[in-house]
Amino acid sequence: MDSLTVATPSKTEALARRYGADALPPAGPWNETIAVMLDHRSVRGYKPDPLPAGALETLIAAAQSAATSSNMQWWSAIAITDPAKKKVLAEIAGNQKHIEQCPVFLCWVADMARNQRISDATKTDFETMPWLETFMVACIDAALAAQNACVAAQSIGLRTVYIGAMRNDPIKVAELLGLPEQSFVVFGLCVGYATEKAAGEVKPRLPQATVLHREHYDASAEAEQRSTYDEEMSRFSARHELQAATWTQRVLNRLGPLKSMNGRETIRASLKKLGFEIR
Amino acid sequence: MDSLTVATPSKTEALARRYGADALPPAGPWNETIAVMLDHRSVRGYKPDPLPAGALETLIAAAQSAATSSNMQWWSAIAITDPAKKKVLAEIAGNQKHIEQCPVFLCWVADMARNQRISDATKTDFETMPWLETFMVACIDAALAAQNACVAAQSIGLRTVYIGAMRNDPIKVAELLGLPEQSFVVFGLCVGYATEKAAGEVKPRLPQATVLHREHYDASAEAEQRSTYDEEMSRFSARHELQAATWTQRVLNRLGPLKSMNGRETIRASLKKLGFEIR
């Protein structure tokens, strides 16, 4: 499996799946890489098959090839294959069984500890550390890296799903993985081969005109665009027997009540305990 | 230019460029998509040539295909081609001329305003909005999207560079682009064709063993690995006449003095003025 490409749909088909037939954007340049990205869906059911030899290293090479702010490389990844550890992580995440199922669960760490060790070793005060800016950059560096790994995985036939629920209890996760101060798991990523049942379908997104602005921010046509999207998502929801029919309803359910955060409103206090200042 | 692939180096060559010959990781599966990612470098000099027809839309389709937390789609992108606007943005960024040169400058917005409008329209209090967690998710959503756009751009022969310096003055950027409350430009992205002089070279990263941990965090061999990387970066710096010879020295320069933040230590206060609570 030295060189490997996956089957992907045509440009028109890919755009129709992503936006619905009623909101097709203009179709520009196209190639295999773009097709892989357009075909993304989050997969929540995995076969027990392991990753191909060297695949993890390839994913990390892709991740390290993403841009990183000032080359500070503010992230680490921890590959978890131990069933006992995955079980605990699945429980922290509200019993997401796919964390146990997937052969590799990658924990993406906003790792300010590594550069802090350079401060310690050289007895140099790093004045830039305790700020929201630096914390943000660490999280963003981790995200850019993870997204490259995600695309690389998909390009060789693997599937993934991000697990934000690692933030339900960042302290417990940090203890389990032996993280030093000033590091925490921003999110996890299940990696593996999708079961047939869980292979899923591309989820439609907001019309392009809603998210792409030109020269200045312009939301003047947004209500109408959202209505188009609500219809598209109603059809998607019906196909998948999802409760919230429209996207608008899903936003209301997710962002209205504090309880939908599963305790993550306390993350600031947890991060303080983990050594982050975030001034 | 309907279907387009770019020339990329072989697997061994690509890994050697990314890690140096002294720190080659095991070589796993390989394909065009992975080769494109491995070949990334940040480009700071652009030809005036415009993007191919439909390319911007293709980049945004790739961006919208990235995962987004609970499908809340917390981001917008603003495409800037207006020379006057690019000039102001270049000044904000400390006179980064490539912002003026590139045919399209994409501003990536952590856009909590869009979902806030659903709260307003439905007279539903969104209790989940004022927290660090939600702010982080918006920034991460923007980063995942931008990274897909970045890979898509590179796959069709374009080059990019992220501009974190949009955060030097988030209020001025917000005013220039007409952003509503609870939205800000997390970073910009120059997109265009590299000039021959600016095409650059892949920048080596830390050895894989430094960033990839197995089952638990382990930095026991880090000092030695960093020394290997310092040597690799010394050779890179010599080739490019960069001031800081080693990576360690660059970290000390960048993270030691507060002045290297160019005022970004005040971003918390600026974001408050832009309507973000970040509790």
Side-chain angles (χ1 to χ4, degrees), chain A residues 2 11 19 64 81 215, chain B residues 2 11 19 64 81 117 215:
Chain A
D2 196 58
K11 172 160 73 169
Y19 292 101
Q64 289 193 268
T81 60
E215 309 301 342
Chain B
D2 197 58
K11 172 160 74 169
Y19 292 102
Q64 289 194 268
T81 59
R117 285 191 289 274
E215 309 301 342

Side-chain angles (χ1 to χ4, degrees), chain B residues 112-128:
Chain B
M112 292 174 53
R114 185 165 56 232
N115 289 338
Q116 183 62 50
R117 285 191 289 274
I118 297 177
S119 165
D120 299 344
T122 59
K123 296 188 173 46
T124 308
D125 185 22
F126 279 9
E127 296 175 357
T128 61

Side-chain angles (χ1 to χ4, degrees), chain B residues 62-131:
Chain B
Q64 289 194 268
S65 298
T68 150
S69 186
S70 302
N71 200 28
M72 292 297 105
Q73 306 182 57
W74 289 115
W75 61 273
S76 285
I78 309 182
I80 313 288
T81 59
D82 175 13
K85 275 211 171 98
K86 287 196 290 182
K87 187 164 190 293
V88 176
L89 292 168
E91 282 161 9
I92 290 170
N95 294 311
Q96 297 194 40
K97 289 293 177 193
H98 35 281
I99 297 174
E100 290 182 70
Q101 286 172 2
C102 67
V104 176
F105 184 67
L106 278 174
C107 290
W108 295 89
V109 180
D111 187 354
M112 292 174 53
R114 185 165 56 232
N115 289 338
Q116 183 62 50
R117 285 191 289 274
I118 297 177
S119 165
D120 299 344
T122 59
K123 296 188 173 46
T124 308
D125 185 22
F126 279 9
E127 296 175 357
T128 61
M129 295 294 265
W131 307 96

Side-chain angles (χ1 to χ4, degrees), chain A residues 1-4 11 18-19 26 28-31 33-34 37-38 40 53-58 60-61 64-68 70-74 76-82 85 111 114-115 117-118 122 124-128 131 133-134 136-137 140 143-144 147-148 151-152 155-156 162 167 177-180 186 203 205-206 208 210-217 219 222 226 229 247 250 252 254-258 260-261 264-265 268 278-279, chain B residues 1-4 11 18-19 26 28-31 33-34 37-38 40 53-58 60-61 64-68 70-74 76-82 85 111 114-115 117-118 122 124-128 131 133-134 136-137 140 143-144 147-148 151-152 155-156 162 167 177-180 186 203 205-206 208 210-217 219 222 226 229 247 250 252 254-258 261 264-265 268 278-279:
Chain A
M1 199 179 296
D2 196 58
S3 180
L4 175 61
K11 172 160 73 169
R18 184 57 72 196
Y19 292 101
W30 196 256
N31 57 35
T33 299
I34 295 164
M37 286 190 277
L38 264 283
H40 166 81
L56 176 60
E57 289 81 0
T58 296
I60 297 298
Q64 289 193 268
S65 298
T68 150
S70 302
N71 200 30
M72 292 297 105
Q73 307 183 56
W74 289 114
S76 284
I78 308 182
I80 314 289
T81 60
D82 175 13
K85 275 212 171 97
D111 188 354
R114 186 165 55 232
N115 289 338
R117 285 191 288 275
I118 297 177
T122 58
T124 308
D125 185 23
F126 279 9
E127 297 175 357
T128 61
W131 308 96
E133 160 71 15
T134 307
M136 271 171 57
V137 164
I140 290 168
L144 300 179
Q147 186 55 24
N148 263 18
V151 172
S155 78
I156 57 171
Y162 282 100
R167 299 191 303 276
L177 305 183
L179 295 191
V186 191
K203 187 179 282 179
R205 298 283 194 234
L206 284 162
Q208 228 180 54
T210 307
V211 306
L212 174 60
H213 310 248
R214 305 203 182 232
E215 309 301 342
H216 60 90
Y217 193 96
E222 184 176 276
R226 182 151 56 80
Y229 183 52
W247 184 67
R250 192 171 161 82
L252 291 167
R254 177 64 188 75
L255 303 183
L258 192 63
S260 78
M261 292 185 79
R264 289 187 221 168
E265 69 276 13
R268 196 177 175 84
I278 318 181
R279 276 182 219 158
Chain B
M1 200 179 296
D2 197 58
S3 179
L4 176 60
K11 172 160 74 169
R18 184 58 72 195
Y19 292 102
W30 196 256
N31 57 35
T33 300
I34 294 164
M37 286 189 277
L38 265 283
H40 166 81
L56 176 60
E57 289 80 1
T58 295
I60 297 298
Q64 289 194 268
S65 298
T68 150
S70 302
N71 200 28
M72 292 297 105
Q73 306 182 57
W74 289 115
S76 285
I78 309 182
I80 313 288
T81 59
D82 175 13
K85 275 211 171 98
D111 187 354
R114 185 165 56 232
N115 289 338
R117 285 191 289 274
I118 297 177
T122 59
T124 308
D125 185 22
F126 279 9
E127 296 175 357
T128 61
W131 307 96
E133 160 71 15
T134 307
M136 270 171 58
V137 164
I140 291 169
L144 299 180
Q147 187 54 24
N148 262 17
V151 172
S155 78
I156 57 171
Y162 282 99
R167 299 191 301 277
L177 305 183
L179 295 191
V186 191
K203 188 180 281 179
R205 299 283 195 233
L206 284 163
Q208 235 185 44
T210 308
V211 307
L212 174 60
H213 310 249
R214 307 210 181 225
E215 309 301 342
H216 61 90
Y217 193 96
E222 184 176 276
R226 182 152 55 81
Y229 183 52
W247 184 67
R250 192 171 160 81
L252 290 167
R254 177 65 187 75
L255 303 183
L258 192 63
M261 292 185 79
R264 290 188 221 167
E265 68 276 14
R268 195 176 174 84
I278 319 182
R279 275 183 218 157

Side-chain angles (χ1 to χ4, degrees), chain B residues 153-194:
Chain B
Q154 214 188 308
S155 78
I156 57 171
L158 296 162
R159 292 289 183 178
T160 58
V161 61
Y162 282 99
I163 306 293
M166 290 295 96
R167 299 191 301 277
N168 289 359
D169 193 342
I171 293 174
K172 199 166 176 185
V173 173
E175 284 169 357
L176 185 73
L177 305 183
L179 295 191
E181 279 211 342
Q182 291 198 66
S183 64
F184 85 109
V185 174
V186 191
F187 43 71
L189 188 75
C190 297
V191 184
Y193 294 101

